[in-house]
Amino acid sequence: MKSITIYISFSRIPCSAGFLSTSLSDDLKKRKEPHICALRKILFKDFRAWLSDISKIDLESTIDMSCAKYEFSDALLCHDDELEGRRIAFILYLVPSWDRSLGGTLDLYSVDEHFQPKQIVKSLIPSWNTLVFFEVSPVSFHQVSEVLSEEKSRLSVSGWFHGPSLTRPPNYIEPLIPRSPHVPQDHEILYDWINPTYLDMDYQIQIQEEFEERSEILLKEFLKPEKFAEVCEALEKGDVKWSSRGPPNKRFYEKAEESTLPDTLKACMALFRSEALFLLLSNFTGLKLHFLAPSEEDEVEDTKEGEAASAPDTTEEGTSCSSSEPKSNQEATGNNSQQSSEQTDPEPAENEAQKESSVPTCQGELRHWKTGHYTLIHDNSKTEFALDLLLYCGCEGWEPEYGGFTSYIAKGEDEELLTVNPENNSLALVYRDRETLKFVKHINHRSLEQKKTFPNRTGFWAFSFVYYE
């Protein structure tokens, strides 16, 4: 057989949505090489006519075709391919000899009663010169599993045949995760658990100044060493019951069943829900997370009193920087995105009324992150003002190339605003606004390197909480 060499330029696709990690060529509809032209013609003329006939779909002549190259640790996570006009997806595999152990399978999902992906029901192994196609629909969920070969690349030509759009069922809105106000507990719990450095009032002022400037901060060695050791020991013992959280087009990780937690872990969860910690977080951030924390209105009054007592020619020095809510006084993470929120904002007056009467709340869970886990940005990703808190355990030797880091991006933008890497006994605080989205990067098989140092450990753990004013 005659050998043909065609040079195609590939671009690395940014993983800004936590969704795709692979290399993709430019659109092949404009390429002039004779063999690409011939492939384009046979697919979108002769084959399209046959496919239209057997599928009973009036397929258009629109050409939508590119080449994808998946290398070691690349994956394409769960999605449905739905976009205006797409009716049938196709993949032509150009792989060397391939088997299941190399990964890169095309995995097809079943769906539940809400038309959400449930579990993988079929896996197709790539094979040279094999064409796979399937109808694009609201339930055509699939993924490309992670490529596990360091020597071979998974090369394919893929695209879509277009036709009349299908009617989508209404978007399924997941039930809201319950939020709870603080649990009454005095400051003694802080002295029991937290590094005394962070309980010093002068140091808290420094932390707040830095946080208000950057909307994020990392507090290292946050828990007392002996307490952190107790928490890690409890996690390592394996007495925790974990349940998988999905659906896979939005997230995949393990959540601890709180009723089964050993006492040490229950106490740590109680710390993050305690009244004392709400107040401490107010001191760290300037947010109104406790009734004793100064509000923006209090500071305006203080400013007015200071101005009244000052001479008429007093400058504005000392009055231009408030230590109250970051969202009112400086940019929260991602505030410079111009794209409007997908969720309709309430009327300003109603919003203010709700804020006046609102009680600070939180929601949180203990998560286990290991190979294959991730979260995705999706159509119904909720955006609102919130303070994210993360405390990591079991991260010794964890490298950024493994994934598992939390990435913040501005809505409608690819550029990452902030990355929070897992780091032992480090408390990450990030304030986000309505234009900021976040995801946890897919954890790839490189993470198994951790087993060389810690044979009995898979991944790491994180206490993950969100606080609302």
Side-chain angles (χ1 to χ4, degrees):
M1 187 173 81
K2 186 178 179 182
S3 174
I4 303 294
T5 302
I6 298 175
Y7 294 96
I8 296 177
S9 173
F10 290 89
S11 299
R12 195 71 184 169
I13 303 301
C15 57
S16 60
F19 174 72
L20 175 68
S21 180
T22 184
S23 296
L24 195 67
S25 73
D26 57 0
D27 197 323
L28 296 183
K29 69 181 178 184
K30 297 179 181 178
R31 297 296 294 246
K32 303 299 184 183
E33 292 86 349
H35 295 84
I36 292 180
C37 290
L39 177 61
R40 208 164 49 218
K41 179 181 178 183
I42 198 169
L43 283 174
F44 288 93
K45 287 190 177 178
D46 304 338
F47 182 73
R48 175 175 64 87
W50 174 82
L51 191 57
S52 187
D53 184 54
I54 66 162
S55 66
K56 308 304 179 187
I57 300 172
D58 185 18
L59 298 176
E60 302 165 359
S61 59
T62 303
I63 295 173
D64 198 345
M65 184 173 78
S66 60
C67 191
K69 181 170 66 173
Y70 292 74
E71 298 178 300
F72 178 59
S73 81
D74 286 345
L76 182 60
L77 302 178
C78 181
H79 62 292
D80 62 10
D81 262 10
E82 276 226 299
L83 203 62
E84 188 69 26
R86 289 180 180 176
R87 290 304 309 273
I88 294 179
F90 71 88
I91 308 102
L92 174 63
Y93 292 115
L94 305 174
V95 294
S97 177
W98 203 273
D99 60 47
R100 188 179 297 274
S101 68
L102 303 178
T105 55
L106 176 64
D107 299 331
L108 310 179
Y109 286 83
S110 62
V111 295
D112 62 18
E113 68 275 17
H114 303 297
F115 304 107
Q116 298 295 291
K118 189 176 180 182
Q119 62 185 25
I120 294 170
V121 292
K122 191 174 186 66
S123 292
L124 303 177
I125 300 170
S127 178
W128 168 261
N129 198 22
T130 299
L131 182 75
V132 173
F133 59 91
F134 58 87
E135 184 176 8
V136 176
S137 76
V139 297
S140 57
F141 290 103
H142 59 284
Q143 71 169 14
V144 176
S145 67
E146 184 181 347
V147 171
L148 306 179
S149 171
E150 296 190 54
E151 292 79 32
K152 296 182 179 182
S153 296
R154 181 190 187 273
L155 194 66
S156 64
V157 173
S158 59
W160 297 270
F161 294 97
H162 290 246
S165 296
L166 288 174
T167 302
R168 280 193 74 112
N171 277 341
Y172 172 66
I173 306 299
E174 295 179 282
L176 293 176
I177 299 174
R179 301 175 183 179
S180 305
H182 65 240
V183 177
Q185 201 152 11
D186 64 26
H187 61 277
E188 290 300 323
I189 192 172
L190 303 183
Y191 292 107
D192 289 342
W193 279 87
I194 295 176
N195 184 334
T197 302
Y198 295 114
L199 304 181
D200 178 81
M201 290 303 296
D202 290 334
Y203 195 46
Q204 289 176 25
I205 292 171
Q206 293 179 38
I207 290 171
Q208 187 180 128
E209 288 173 351
E210 181 177 341
F211 184 85
E212 287 183 330
E213 185 174 334
R214 301 173 54 189
S215 295
E216 56 92 8
I217 198 164
L218 187 68
L219 306 179
K220 300 190 177 187
E221 304 300 326
F222 184 71
L223 297 184
K224 288 183 173 180
E226 63 273 19
K227 283 294 187 181
F228 184 71
E230 289 176 18
V231 168
C232 291
E233 183 181 358
L235 289 166
E236 295 275 12
K237 277 185 176 178
D239 295 334
V240 179
K241 182 179 179 182
W242 301 94
S243 60
S244 180
R245 280 214 65 198
N249 62 326
K250 297 175 182 176
R251 63 189 71 86
F252 178 44
Y253 62 85
E254 291 180 341
K255 170 190 171 183
E257 298 292 340
E258 284 199 46
S259 60
T260 71
L261 291 179
D263 290 343
T264 298
L265 299 180
K266 281 183 179 177
C268 193
M269 294 292 284
L271 167 69
F272 292 117
R273 295 189 174 107
S274 69
E275 179 177 6
L277 193 85
F278 270 66
L279 181 55
L280 183 64
L281 292 176
S282 295
N283 291 343
F284 284 162
T285 64
L287 295 169
K288 184 72 172 174
L289 295 174
H290 192 279
F291 70 90
L292 291 178
S295 66
E296 189 176 55
E297 290 75 17
D298 294 336
E299 297 195 358
V300 169
E301 284 301 316
D302 290 343
T303 301
K304 286 180 179 177
E305 290 174 11
E307 289 174 349
S310 300
D313 59 349
T314 300
T315 67
E316 292 184 2
E317 183 178 357
T319 66
S320 61
C321 182
S322 164
S323 62
S324 183
E325 300 170 335
K327 64 174 173 285
S328 302
N329 300 292
Q330 42 80 175
E331 290 183 341
T333 301
N335 202 27
N336 49 0
S337 171
Q338 299 299 306
Q339 184 174 340
S340 62
S341 172
E342 293 175 15
Q343 296 192 339
T344 304
D345 290 336
E347 291 297 322
E350 179 186 345
N351 197 30
E352 287 303 314
Q354 289 177 348
K355 185 176 171 183
E356 292 264 337
S357 61
S358 66
V359 174
T361 58
C362 77
Q363 62 186 44
E365 55 191 19
L366 174 57
R367 298 173 176 177
H368 185 200
W369 296 97
K370 59 185 181 182
T371 307
H373 286 174
Y374 57 86
T375 67
L376 298 173
I377 290 172
H378 51 88
D379 290 344
N380 296 323
S381 294
K382 189 170 184 179
T383 55
E384 57 187 320
F385 292 108
L387 176 69
D388 293 334
L389 176 152
L390 292 165
L391 180 74
Y392 294 104
C393 308
C395 309
E396 298 95 335
W398 193 267
E399 298 292 339
E401 66 177 11
Y402 300 167
F405 53 81
T406 300
S407 182
Y408 290 81
I409 65 170
K411 188 182 292 185
E413 303 290 336
D414 285 332
E415 185 179 355
E416 290 180 332
L417 300 168
L418 173 69
T419 298
V420 178
N421 288 302
E423 188 173 333
N424 252 8
N425 199 14
S426 292
L427 186 84
L429 297 174
V430 180
Y431 184 74
R432 53 186 164 88
D433 64 9
R434 289 193 179 101
E435 294 298 318
T436 307
L437 299 168
K438 65 175 180 176
F439 65 90
V440 176
K441 173 66 174 167
H442 174 257
I443 300 177
N444 59 56
H445 275 68
R446 288 189 176 96
S447 63
L448 298 178
E449 288 288 314
Q450 187 188 39
K451 280 187 169 291
K452 293 179 179 179
T453 309
F454 302 95
N456 299 320
R457 184 179 297 172
T458 54
F460 60 89
W461 302 272
F463 291 88
S464 179
F465 278 76
V466 184
Y467 296 83
Y468 308 89
E469 290 182 282

